[in-house]
Amino acid sequence: MKPKQDTLIVTAGRHPDAHFGAVNPPVYHASTILFPTVEAMKTRNQPYTYGRRGTPTLAALEEAIAAIEGGARTVLTPSGLSAVSTALLAFLKAGDHLLMTDNVYGPSRHFCDTILKRNGIEVEYYDPEIGAGIAKHMKPNTRVIFAESPGSITFEVQDIPALAKAAHAGDAKLIVDNTWASPLYFKPFEHGADVSVQAITKYLCGHSDVMMGAITATEEAGKTVLATHGSLGMTVAPDDVYLVLRGMRTLSVRLERHMKTGIELARWFADRPEVSRVLHPALPTDPGHELWKRDFTGASGLFSIVLKPCPDAAISAMLDHLEYFGMGWSWGGYESLIVPQDLHGIRSSTPAAFEGPIVRIHAGLEDPRDLIADLEAGFARFNAALG
């Protein structure tokens, strides 16, 4: 019987019988792996051959992520950015054309504009809301379409099935950054993706104490990913894997709370006179709501607000003295975060035309009543600074 999703999150990658009954996979610290014979060393016909190529600890997390994402296999990388860069390098070479979504995570854009371009790869940014219109941008040498849905600052939801159809018609791969929803609330392979990347630094870990990425792929695409992953020498630390495994087991209950608090805060912001609009696909007023409702089963705690035009001093007055919202990069941990966002220079094909400053919020696991009281005090300081 195939387990339901919440059961899979708790059980995937666990093999107590192989570890003397231990509920959690042991932490293997290993570089050298011994072979019993010369023949075994030549053929490498044993599960583990060298620490960089995997241990039972790493295999447990890779198996679990592949299971909950619905892919054939997963490999781990030291960060979310390294998952993005490794996945792109797996399918691109000099002379190839990449279609990259214009709302992509800033460091991913930087990788494209530096490493890829200087190695002869043509990078073209496309409107994240283009949908089936992406077919008009396909070229004979297009090898990858890269999507991030929703974008982690402006939160446009992409039509993944339409992008997949165009990619496969042109013999290209569709890579999807699935960090925002996690595999709990979006199943990229059910919608046509060939590869899914995640910063498991975020929700799978959930405690703001690990850097790690994951690349999950179909059987066919996974062979190419595995070869590139090995050639680049990618590996992760076993103690970090242990922490992600521990965090992942509570993903379902944590993410449900993040979602509920995030939506509650988003609705509260929508009623504030200082706020021009809220960028959250779970709200019916959001332009991407229908696509979100069609393809996603939930939302995470990350969203943005657009303030009405105001001076920087007012934003600083609001944010500098918040009690429960920290100011720091990343998200997905148990704590609430808030950061002002500067879109200058991070769009190229579509204008970042917002009527006022953008502030991004991550709803943590605190009581939402305390978070709202903190924000109310922040807006009082904001309005006082306006005079």
Side-chain angles (χ1 to χ4, degrees), residues 29-30 38 67 70 85 99 108 136 142-144 148 176 194 210 225 261 278 326:
H29 290 267
V38 171
S85 60
L99 283 168
S108 298
K136 297 178 182 178
T142 303
R143 297 278 68 86
V144 171
E148 182 179 309
V176 177
D194 300 287
V210 168
V225 169
T261 300
V278 178

Side-chain angles (χ1 to χ4, degrees), residues 38-280:
V38 171
E39 182 63 21
M41 181 169 275
K42 287 180 178 179
T43 60
R44 302 195 178 197
N45 61 348
Q46 60 187 50
Y48 305 101
T49 59
Y50 189 62
R52 175 168 46 78
R53 299 312 298 261
T55 67
T57 310
L58 274 64
L61 181 56
E62 290 171 343
E63 179 186 333
I65 291 175
I68 61 176
E69 281 239 275
R73 73 170 306 143
T74 296
V75 293
L76 303 174
T77 69
S79 66
L81 177 58
S82 63
V84 171
S85 60
T86 301
L88 288 170
L89 289 171
F91 298 100
L92 294 167
K93 64 182 186 305
D96 286 345
H97 176 239
L98 162 67
L99 283 168
M100 171 60 73
T101 180
D102 206 22
N103 65 349
V104 70
Y105 172 59
S108 298
R109 176 183 287 270
H110 180 74
F111 174 77
C112 292
D113 290 345
T114 55
I115 304 298
L116 292 188
K117 286 186 176 180
R118 77 176 183 225
N119 281 280
I121 295 163
E122 181 187 358
V123 180
E124 178 184 348
Y125 292 95
Y126 67 89
D127 182 347
E129 297 175 304
I130 198 170
I134 194 73
K136 297 178 182 178
H137 294 263
M138 294 290 291
K139 298 181 178 182
N141 62 332
T142 303
R143 297 278 68 86
V144 171
I145 298 175
F146 190 102
E148 182 179 309
S149 183
S152 60
I153 297 177
T154 47
F155 297 93
E156 298 91 346
V157 180
Q158 297 194 248
D159 191 339
I160 300 300
L163 298 181
K165 182 178 179 180
H168 299 155
D171 196 27
K173 302 298 184 191
L174 175 63
I175 302 175
V176 177
D177 187 328
N178 195 32
T179 304
W180 181 83
S182 87
L184 184 66
Y185 290 152
F186 183 70
K187 302 294 185 185
F189 298 100
E190 292 180 6
H191 295 87
D194 300 287
V195 177
S196 173
V197 296
Q198 295 180 72
I200 54 179
T201 302
K202 311 289 198 286
Y203 283 118
L204 264 69
C205 172
H207 293 77
S208 299
D209 53 9
V210 168
M211 300 288 291
M212 198 176 296
I215 310 170
T216 305
T218 62
E219 188 69 44
E220 185 264 332
K223 297 173 184 177
T224 305
V225 169
L226 181 63
T228 302
H229 179 269
S231 296
L232 292 174
M234 292 290 176
T235 191
V236 295
D239 293 293
D240 289 348
V241 171
Y242 164 77
L243 289 172
V244 175
L245 277 166
R246 173 182 262 193
M248 190 190 71
R249 302 308 180 190
T250 61
L251 176 65
S252 180
V253 292
R254 285 188 291 104
L255 203 51
E256 182 178 5
R257 177 64 175 269
H258 285 298
M259 173 175 62
K260 288 181 177 178
T261 300
I263 292 174
E264 183 174 348
L265 292 181
R267 290 172 174 162
W268 181 84
F269 275 117
D271 290 334
R272 292 293 307 192
E274 303 89 349
V275 175
S276 175
R277 54 176 156 151
V278 178
L279 308 178
H280 193 314

Side-chain angles (χ1 to χ4, degrees), residues 355-375:
E355 51 274 32
I358 290 182
V359 175
R360 190 178 72 177
I361 294 96
H362 176 252
L365 302 181
E366 303 90 346
D367 191 305
R369 292 169 295 185
D370 290 327
L371 297 177
I372 288 172
D374 199 17
L375 291 167

